[in-house]
Amino acid sequence: MPNSLLSEILQIRTNCLRAVRLEDDLLKGDLLSGYILTAQALAALERIADGLTNHARAWTLTGPYGSGKSFFGLFLAHLLDRRRPGHTVAWDIVVEAAPSLAERLQGALGERGGLQTIAVTGSRAPLQECLVRGFQRLFEAEEHPADLQEDLEKVRREDSRAFMKWLQTFLEVANSLKPGTNGVLILFDEMGKALEHAASHPQESDVYLLQELAEFAAHSHTYPLVFIGILHQAFDGYAALLDRTTQREWAKVQGRFEDIPFQEPAVQQMRLLANAFVETAHLPEFVSDVALHEWRPRTMSAEEFAFLCRRVYPLHPSVFVSLPYIFRRLAQNERSIFAYLSSQEPFGFQEFSATHTLGELLCLPDVFDYLAANYQSRIYASGRARPLTETLERLENAPSLTKIEQDLLKTIGLLNWLGEISPLQAKENMVLSALTPAYEEADLRATLKLLQRRSLIVYRRFNETYAVWQGSDVDIEERLQTARSALESTLSVAEVLQSYLPPRPLLAQRHSYQTGTLRFFEVRYADSYNWESLSLTPSSSACGVVVLCLPGTLGEVDQFVRWAQTDALASRRDLVVGVAGRAIRLKELVQELRALHWVRENTPELRDDPVARREWRTRLAAIEQSIRAELDEAFNLQQVSALRDCQWFYGGQDVSSKFRRGISPLLSEICDALYPTSPRLWNELLNRRELTSQGAAARRLLIEGILTRAEQPLLGIQKFPPERSMYEALLRRGGLHRQEGETWRLVLPPGDDPLGLRPAWDAMADFIFGGLPEPRPLTDLYARLFAPPYGVTAGLAPVLLAVFYKVHENEMTLYKEGTLLVEPGVADWEVLLRRPELFWLAGCRVTGLRAAVVERMARGLNTLPYVMPVVRSLI
């Protein structure tokens, strides 16, 4: 065993590592094996037992993410519903932990049995919709009258009174048809998601339904209804961005529920953490008595702490005690602790177990590395990152630090970070014991003094703790507070986003793939401040514009919908308008983005403060990511599935329901209509609006071959340079360079026209030969080719023109700055590529009497019977 990897020895209970999904796990009784009825869970169960006796039957269970609320709800469902597979296991757990509580529950439930459970998992949908889905899943699992199910489907879209009337009918039917039950329990998990939807879409979801449910539950007697909603925060947290009147209404609704706080203390979380480890027999002792003494919580006996520390090996006692506080600081709790044990994240527990052998300990420096690798942006965004930021800066700016010096800095920095919310402090004995037995105590003490001499750490005598030296003189959080006070509360969300977070263009993916031409739409934001002055003209490289409207009120939603249907916008075939349901949270995020940029613009000290700059950049990246996620959710840009949140308009028509796979199919369809005669050329070097330096050089060489070596195979190109791929993709595949007899020639696009070049070719012929024989600007020809319906790219157009010129060189003229170029050379074409505005084109094709004159002169000059050969001979 001494050389065995820890992963070969250790085992973690799988039922402790997964998050509970109430609807799916309700049929799995095996998940309850090993469930610990903690003091917090017992207290909640006591409250529920009292309520069942005293007719209080509506509760909210409130606690932070991952605190075990859903698992407790699953336990409660099996405990109170005798028909559940885990009922016996759950009841045995209660009988063993609190016999008197089991008797009270037995009395409250009565002789008929337990409660029929309906599990509901909330989503960003109306409350009534979530409840209907929960009952439908019950109907899928158990047999109920068909008319009851049909009536449920009818009330899905009706008001709350219709649903409550149906619920009363359901209770009456269940009372007569379910002899093994004594009532109904509705467990509404993730109810906060439905409240978030209600806050942002008050026209679709009314929280008054919850008040009706609570009042109905309180007055139900013969066959009672019990309702428990599971939340991460109180109602006012979800209603924070609503107006004061609405907030008061929400507070009144919450007042109908008894709230049960659900958050385990750190010591209890340690016991839960230890329970996740399967006991391994015959493991020797690896933890020193000093570490056990220094890190033992004062509310836990020495014997219990020693036993738990042995059970959670290879966690060092310092890590074992710190983990609950670490994940509480990250706004997470037990679930994240357990996820830490199971995930394959860098520097996580699983990676440590797979790379270390028996006898080694996972210590605080390992946890520091884990946090820096996986949670850095979240920590910085929370505004509590200073100790960790400074530690990382010290480590990066001192690359010559030894391993023991690095570990001491990481330990002190982590304890400084935790010291703000926990009793854990970077006292000398705690720091030393956190790194034993990995290092000798004498070496640690000597290294502490060395770090002090190098000004990497300081010793605070007033509280006898070490701290990483604060290398930053800029408090980003304090500067943000100043920014928030200095900036006006009113702002144009659209203008701030356009300035500080310019939107990414949206691709017409299918069209681009099928034609080989990358086409995209520019995105512009509109709100009530800028919509009247917003430019709707796309740039020269874009195919159109997508306007994302950001209404702040329901009235503005209607205003933007009417605007999108006006004649001026409806006539535009290159314009798409999206109107979000509402963008309240977006305003809060944008205000923070604006404040961050204010800090950068008004804090000159940032220039010479790398620690503060690092924190600023990380905060900026986090807020930008949040804004992009909020925009993507508001407009469903990638996956249009919940279309009631956003309406899309094109040509004055609502097209929301037409496209379910994102906005890209809509943009591709628009491009198909705009560019029906677009060439189909698959060459990324040539078919671009702006060529790379390599592509531009290759195009110049290709044009040189077209002008000077058209009679040679492959235009004389040797081997496989970049211009060879251009030749193969355009001239060879398009049939523009063909062998006729023993000679190669440049010709018109063939009849089958495999690349669809003929429409653009005909457009050039019409431009040059269709009007009076007078010079016209080359830029006008390019503008015609670039625009619908052709959509030729700026990279391709000069090559097509060179081929066209070579085919018709006897019938067209080229002018540079007003001067006729009798025999344009390669140098002239190089200038044409860079400065097309200097050149003009004209056709000199003649017929009738003029043609006879030209033919007569050509015979006399012994040249071809066309204007330009005659002119060249005369000159």
Side-chain angles (χ1 to χ4, degrees):
M1 287 182 67
N3 295 323
S4 299
L5 289 174
L6 291 172
S7 57
E8 300 171 358
I9 302 170
L10 302 177
Q11 294 184 48
I12 306 294
R13 299 184 195 277
T14 56
N15 65 334
C16 293
L17 302 181
R18 63 190 295 277
V20 169
R21 181 174 172 83
L22 211 53
E23 284 184 351
D24 298 330
D25 294 336
L26 202 57
L27 301 177
K28 302 173 184 176
D30 59 319
L31 290 178
L32 297 182
S33 60
Y35 179 77
I36 298 179
L37 197 58
T38 65
Q40 177 62 59
L42 272 172
L45 202 53
E46 292 266 6
R47 291 277 302 277
I48 293 171
D50 290 342
L52 291 175
T53 305
N54 301 322
H55 305 292
R57 300 196 180 101
W59 293 277
T60 51
L61 202 63
T62 308
Y65 289 95
S67 56
K69 302 182 302 299
S70 297
F71 208 160
F72 175 75
L74 181 67
F75 172 82
L76 194 63
H78 284 275
L79 178 68
L80 300 182
D81 192 341
R82 289 184 178 178
R83 304 169 305 152
R84 296 293 165 192
H87 173 74
T88 303
V89 175
W91 196 259
D92 290 343
I93 291 173
V94 176
V95 170
E96 182 179 354
S100 60
L101 176 59
E103 291 180 8
R104 288 164 55 201
L105 281 172
Q106 183 67 48
L109 294 175
E111 297 180 357
R112 290 185 61 181
L115 303 177
Q116 183 181 6
T117 306
I118 292 93
V120 179
T121 299
S123 62
R124 288 185 174 89
L127 288 158
Q128 191 159 313
E129 175 74 20
C130 296
L131 289 163
V132 168
R133 285 203 307 264
F135 278 98
Q136 285 179 332
R137 291 198 59 153
L138 174 71
F139 293 157
E140 292 171 4
E142 300 181 9
E143 187 175 345
H144 285 78
D147 57 343
L148 194 64
Q149 301 181 42
E150 293 172 1
D151 291 343
L152 175 63
E153 188 61 36
K154 293 177 182 177
V155 303
R156 179 191 290 269
R157 298 298 180 188
E158 297 186 25
D159 58 22
S160 59
R161 291 186 178 180
F163 177 79
M164 294 305 302
K165 185 177 180 181
W166 177 91
L167 181 60
Q168 185 173 2
T169 304
F170 171 81
L171 291 175
E172 294 170 354
V173 172
N175 186 21
S176 60
L177 295 181
K178 300 293 179 181
T181 61
N182 193 36
V184 170
L185 168 64
I186 297 179
L187 272 173
F188 200 144
D189 195 16
E190 298 289 353
M191 195 168 79
K193 291 183 179 179
L195 291 178
E196 288 175 2
H197 182 87
S200 57
H201 303 83
Q203 74 280 12
E204 296 180 14
S205 184
D206 188 0
V207 294
Y208 182 67
L209 173 60
L210 293 177
Q211 179 174 329
E212 290 182 288
L213 280 168
E215 293 173 347
F216 183 85
H219 294 93
S220 58
H221 299 294
T222 306
Y223 194 75
L225 171 69
V226 178
F227 183 94
I228 298 178
I230 299 176
L231 299 162
H232 299 308
Q233 58 183 342
F235 277 43
D236 55 4
Y238 300 100
L241 297 177
L242 297 175
D243 58 84
R244 293 185 180 276
T245 302
T246 307
Q247 287 180 2
R248 286 194 293 268
E249 290 296 320
W250 280 49
K252 185 179 72 172
V253 173
Q254 184 168 24
R256 299 298 193 276
F257 295 86
E258 288 191 17
D259 187 60
I260 303 176
F262 200 93
Q263 182 172 6
E264 300 287 358
V267 171
Q268 185 58 48
Q269 291 181 26
M270 290 169 57
R271 295 188 178 102
L272 294 173
L273 177 60
N275 188 60
F277 285 76
V278 176
E279 290 189 67
T280 305
H282 310 301
L283 275 182
E285 295 284 350
F286 297 111
V287 180
S288 67
D289 292 337
V290 175
L292 291 173
H293 173 74
E294 292 294 337
W295 287 93
R296 177 178 65 85
R298 296 300 169 249
T299 57
M300 185 181 289
S301 68
E303 293 76 12
E304 182 185 10
F305 185 61
F307 169 76
L308 294 178
C309 286
R310 285 194 297 271
R311 186 163 179 176
V312 299
Y313 174 80
L315 301 185
H316 189 279
S318 58
V319 174
F320 181 39
V321 174
S322 300
L323 281 177
Y325 296 108
I326 289 172
F327 286 102
R328 183 175 297 178
R329 192 100 206 255
L330 295 171
Q332 301 288 320
N333 278 274
E334 291 95 334
R335 186 182 302 167
S336 284
I337 296 176
F338 297 143
Y340 168 73
L341 297 179
S342 63
S343 71
Q344 301 297 329
E345 295 169 308
F347 301 100
F349 180 83
Q350 290 296 326
E351 181 178 302
F352 184 89
S353 299
T355 55
H356 291 73
T357 57
L358 185 65
E360 297 182 81
L361 289 165
L362 191 154
C363 299
L364 287 179
D366 301 302
V367 178
F368 181 95
D369 293 336
Y370 169 77
L371 293 174
N374 300 286
Y375 287 91
Q376 191 173 134
S377 61
R378 183 183 301 181
I379 295 169
Y380 288 178
S382 69
R384 301 186 294 268
R386 196 180 181 97
L388 297 184
T389 309
E390 290 159 353
T391 305
L392 286 167
E393 194 65 31
R394 300 283 78 73
L395 292 168
E396 290 184 2
N397 290 339
S400 60
L401 289 174
T402 63
K403 182 68 164 58
I404 187 173
E405 291 170 338
Q406 292 179 19
D407 285 351
L408 273 170
L409 276 175
K410 291 175 183 178
T411 301
I412 293 171
L414 187 56
L415 290 175
N416 291 162
W417 182 61
L418 293 177
E420 299 173 7
I421 54 103
S422 76
L424 307 180
Q425 300 291 329
K427 294 183 178 292
E428 185 174 76
N429 288 342
M430 297 187 75
V431 172
L432 296 176
S433 61
L435 293 173
T436 55
Y439 301 104
E440 295 293 333
E441 183 178 330
D443 295 335
L444 290 170
R445 291 185 184 275
T447 306
L448 281 174
K449 293 179 180 179
L450 177 62
L451 292 175
Q452 283 182 268
R453 288 198 298 271
R454 294 176 62 181
S455 297
L456 292 174
I457 61 172
V458 294
Y459 183 70
R460 297 167 173 166
R461 296 188 180 279
F462 70 92
N463 62 359
E464 299 178 336
T465 61
Y466 287 97
V468 176
W469 180 70
Q470 296 183 358
S472 172
D473 296 322
V474 179
D475 188 335
I476 295 294
E477 187 62 33
E478 184 273 331
R479 294 298 294 157
L480 279 173
Q481 293 290 350
T482 305
R484 296 179 190 117
S485 302
L487 293 168
E488 296 180 3
S489 58
T490 57
L491 80 162
S492 169
V493 172
E495 291 177 357
V496 174
L497 285 176
Q498 206 79 40
S499 299
Y500 292 132
L501 195 61
R504 299 163 178 160
L506 295 173
L507 299 181
Q509 295 177 352
R510 176 189 53 76
H511 176 90
S512 300
Y513 175 77
Q514 291 177 347
T515 64
T517 304
L518 186 69
R519 302 204 192 278
F520 65 89
F521 282 62
E522 292 179 320
V523 178
R524 292 173 190 166
Y525 300 119
D527 62 12
S528 59
Y529 292 90
N530 76 330
W531 69 280
E532 292 180 325
S533 59
L534 183 68
S535 171
L536 300 179
T537 304
S539 65
S540 58
S541 57
C543 302
V545 174
V546 174
V547 179
L548 303 183
C549 300
L550 307 171
T553 65
L554 295 177
E556 290 179 9
V557 173
D558 297 334
Q559 173 185 327
F560 281 121
V561 168
R562 290 193 299 271
W563 177 61
Q565 296 173 316
T566 57
D567 293 340
L569 272 65
S571 62
R572 291 279 301 275
R573 313 316 296 172
D574 60 349
L575 180 67
V576 181
V577 179
V579 182
R582 270 204 303 177
I584 296 178
R585 183 169 183 268
L586 189 62
K587 181 177 181 180
E588 178 186 358
L589 294 172
V590 168
Q591 285 175 328
E592 193 71 8
L593 176 68
R594 184 179 60 161
L596 277 168
H597 282 278
W598 186 95
V599 169
R600 184 195 62 180
E601 295 160 5
N602 294 274
T603 311
E605 299 88 347
L606 274 175
R607 184 186 62 183
D608 301 317
D609 195 328
V611 176
R613 284 204 312 274
R614 181 196 191 105
E615 183 176 350
W616 182 88
R617 287 195 301 268
T618 308
R619 283 173 178 257
L620 181 68
I623 202 70
E624 288 179 346
Q625 182 180 4
S626 298
I627 289 173
R628 288 195 175 101
E630 190 72 16
L631 286 169
D632 190 41
E633 182 176 346
F635 290 98
N636 302 298
L637 294 176
Q638 306 304 322
Q639 194 73 25
V640 181
S641 57
L643 288 169
R644 61 172 167 267
D645 291 342
C646 177
Q647 299 177 73
W648 289 99
F649 295 90
Y650 176 67
Q653 302 297 315
D654 188 336
V655 294
S656 304
S657 59
K658 189 175 181 181
F659 300 93
R660 293 280 174 181
R661 292 174 289 112
I663 192 175
S664 181
L666 169 60
L667 301 184
S668 290
E669 186 169 304
I670 293 172
C671 287
D672 291 343
L674 285 173
Y675 304 102
T677 58
S678 172
R680 297 180 296 278
L681 177 65
W682 293 271
N683 185 278
E684 294 182 357
L685 276 175
L686 180 62
N687 198 19
R688 299 166 60 104
R689 292 174 180 82
E690 295 183 9
L691 270 60
T692 62
S693 56
Q694 181 189 28
R699 183 179 64 177
R700 180 181 59 79
L701 293 173
L702 179 66
I703 291 176
E704 180 181 345
I706 290 170
L707 298 174
T708 61
R709 299 187 299 274
E711 73 285 353
Q712 299 181 26
L714 302 176
L715 300 179
I717 299 172
Q718 302 295 319
K719 298 183 179 180
F720 294 93
E723 58 268 22
R724 172 68 181 273
S725 70
M726 294 180 177
Y727 171 86
E728 295 286 348
L730 177 61
L731 279 81
R732 183 171 180 176
R733 190 173 180 185
L736 299 178
H737 193 219
R738 294 202 299 265
Q739 187 176 14
E740 297 182 354
E742 297 183 358
T743 305
W744 285 80
R745 293 182 57 199
L746 290 164
V747 296
L748 302 172
D752 58 351
D753 195 15
L755 300 185
L757 299 172
R758 196 57 184 258
W761 188 278
D762 292 343
M764 288 191 291
D766 178 70
F767 181 86
I768 294 170
F769 300 121
L772 296 174
E774 59 184 18
R776 300 176 66 183
L778 173 59
T779 52
D780 287 359
L781 173 62
Y782 279 175
R784 177 181 293 190
L785 293 177
F786 296 162
Y790 311 108
V792 178
T793 60
L796 173 62
V799 183
L800 278 181
L801 176 63
V803 176
F804 186 92
Y805 174 79
K806 192 64 179 175
V807 172
H808 297 286
E809 62 181 336
N810 295 323
E811 299 178 286
M812 63 179 290
T813 55
L814 187 64
Y815 296 82
K816 178 183 177 184
E817 296 183 287
T819 302
L820 172 66
L821 298 176
V822 179
E823 293 186 275
V826 174
D828 296 309
W829 279 85
E830 288 183 358
V831 177
L832 182 147
L833 291 173
R834 296 193 302 271
R835 300 285 303 279
E837 69 276 7
L838 301 179
F839 291 82
W840 293 54
L841 301 167
C844 53
R845 182 180 291 170
V846 294
T847 59
L849 183 61
R850 290 187 176 87
V853 173
V854 169
E855 290 174 1
R856 182 76 176 269
M857 296 180 69
R859 284 196 301 271
L861 296 170
N862 193 27
T863 188
L864 296 173
Y866 298 99
V867 171
M868 282 310 298
V870 170
V871 170
R872 292 190 189 102
S873 298
L874 288 172
I875 290 177

